[in-house]
Amino acid sequence: MKNDVPVKFFDISKRFGDTLAVDSADFSIHKGEFFGLLGPNGAGKTTLIKLLIGLANPTEGTAEVFGYDINEDYRQVHSYVGFAPAEANLDREFNIFDNLRFHAGYNGVSPREQLERAEQQLKKFDLWEKRNDKPYELSTGMRKKLLFARSMIIDPKIVILDEPTAGLDLETKEAVQNNIKKITEEGVTILFTTHQIDEAERLCDRVAIMNEGKVIEIGPPEELLESGQGDLVRITLAEEIDSLPGKLTRDGLRVELVSEKKEVRATVADGSEAAADIMRALHGAGIATKAVHVEKASLEDLFLQLTSKDDKTVSKENRVGGR
Amino acid sequence: MFLTLLKREVFRYVKNPSVTIGTPILSQILYIIVFGLVLGPRIGSVANHSYISFMLPGLVMMALITNSFMNPGWSLYMARHFDWIDPILSSPMSSTQMVSAYILAGVLRGLLVGTVLIIVALILPGVVAVTHLPFVLIYLVVVAFLGASLGTIVGLWADKFDHIVLAQTFALFPLVFLGGVFYSLEMIEDIYILSILVKFNPVTHMINGLRYGMIGVAELYIPFGLTGLVLLSSALFLVCVWLFRRGYNLRI
């Protein structure tokens, strides 16, 4: 290893025609960290991961893994990274035991050790009984576990998990989460993408929120919430309205109309103060209200706020503090 | 790393011998029976050899090049189509190692089919034995290597199943059938354009070389053909490595 930084992106971009799938990503992931990459579909999360593991060529910029450049030193980079993709890319021509041992072999594990490690991983993930099955004979949950097991068979220093719990039932999800927790205890760095914000909030040390290719916010979940967007204000309207009063948008309050246009919602620093301002604006426009709720905002509220179309170009000063 | 991928590629056809090895052998044996044993005596001798002896090296080459071509072609196409190439691409293997594994697996499949065919043919009555063994071996290896390199390129290029069939039907088969499997160059002397084109067809030189190795008859200059085939194979190998390095149809 050239240095102690598991992953560092240097203004890396990826363009497909006119679309900028990843736009100048520039951040680091620390050693032993559980790092979450959040964003809606098409935000650029998977492309960013593919850039890191050699499945995509960057248009501009680069990245390093423990100081090794992803292009020039790709062999060293790949030897450190285990990857479990969102979609199963398992070898359909071989059973799951062969899938694991071949994967170990592609990564330089000796033939004898390949067999030992494949057995060990299948047992660890409760898949030993299925060792002679083809990947397509497994359930979604089992395939996810197998992908996870495959990523671990090379003893990686970094594990990248792309939507590891998507589409799983509660029991399997919990089992996968427990396995993830176990490997973090072993000091392995984890880069994890998910749509399930509560999961990221609970598991991750830090998260990056991506939207339309850009990393728009990065930090520990609690700090992101405390940095200003701490409260969620929900105001139920007496009846449906077509649009928000102009004053609300002019004043720079980041509010939105939800629940079939019968609720006004805003994630703000000071809930009670913002609620009073919004109420005044609504009443001033002749809009009747039924109820007001101010509650602690979750990471999901922040995520929705940051990734909604209106907010994508909002500066941090505007987002944090609200006015 | 390289050995595991090679093992995977070889296991792929070894575990389905009836489809991957049995079928081509059966089809070539049918050619031997129909063209060699049934029609051969009516055609008479060609270049002072029975027709079956003359035709056999061509049939071996046909099976050899087709099988060495199909193995990496199909395997790479499938691996790309179902994305199971991704774990290979994100392993520490170099592009040269990956290409070598795909090509070598194709070479071994071609050699397996070719060798079985030669053994079967030698059992048949009236077939001349191998006269220049080193030439037989050299031509088998060079041609299998060339076929597998071509298959690797097609496997990378093909976006759908039909593209592989297209390459086989419109490129490989015409070259093979017009490469003198079933006739000598003397027989097409009167068809001027064909006789000229056939000499530029690499498959003609492949068959010519193997025919020399097996029955001692060469209609074209062997050193020229062999040098050309070695250069062509080397060039195709380098193209394969370059395509893998660039990530052609492999990386986004």
Side-chain angles (χ1 to χ4, degrees), chain B residues 139-160:
Chain B
Y139 269 90
L140 288 181
V141 171
V142 171
V143 172
F145 192 88
L146 200 149
S149 304
L150 269 177
T152 302
I153 294 170
V154 171
L156 286 175
W157 163 76
D159 276 337
K160 48 187 178 180

Side-chain angles (χ1 to χ4, degrees), chain B residues 119-195:
Chain B
I119 292 168
V120 168
L122 291 178
I123 299 167
L124 295 172
V127 177
V128 173
V130 171
T131 53
H132 301 100
L133 184 62
F135 276 91
V136 171
L137 295 176
I138 289 169
Y139 269 90
L140 288 181
V141 171
V142 171
V143 172
F145 192 88
L146 200 149
S149 304
L150 269 177
T152 302
I153 294 170
V154 171
L156 286 175
W157 163 76
D159 276 337
K160 48 187 178 180
F161 157 81
D162 300 345
H163 285 161
I164 296 181
V165 180
L166 197 78
Q168 197 180 6
T169 311
F170 288 96
L172 196 61
F173 282 166
L175 287 174
V176 168
F177 275 85
L178 296 176
V181 177
F182 299 104
Y183 52 81
S184 69
L185 297 185
E186 195 186 350
M187 287 176 176
I188 56 163
E189 261 177 0
D190 296 338
I191 312 168
Y192 182 70
I193 293 175
L194 185 61
S195 67

Side-chain angles (χ1 to χ4, degrees), chain B residues 84-101:
Chain B
W84 69 63
I85 191 92
D86 288 358
I88 296 168
L89 295 174
S90 53
S91 77
M93 248 186 285
S94 69
S95 300
T96 310
Q97 285 176 313
M98 290 179 211
V99 168
S100 303

Side-chain angles (χ1 to χ4, degrees), chain B residues 216-246:
Chain B
V217 171
E219 293 179 291
L220 295 169
Y221 186 50
I222 294 281
F224 171 77
L226 188 56
T227 309
L229 290 174
V230 169
L231 288 176
L232 185 60
S233 309
S234 311
L236 288 175
F237 176 77
L238 293 175
V239 169
C240 293
V241 173
W242 178 72
L243 291 173
F244 259 77
R245 272 200 194 138
R246 263 191 66 207

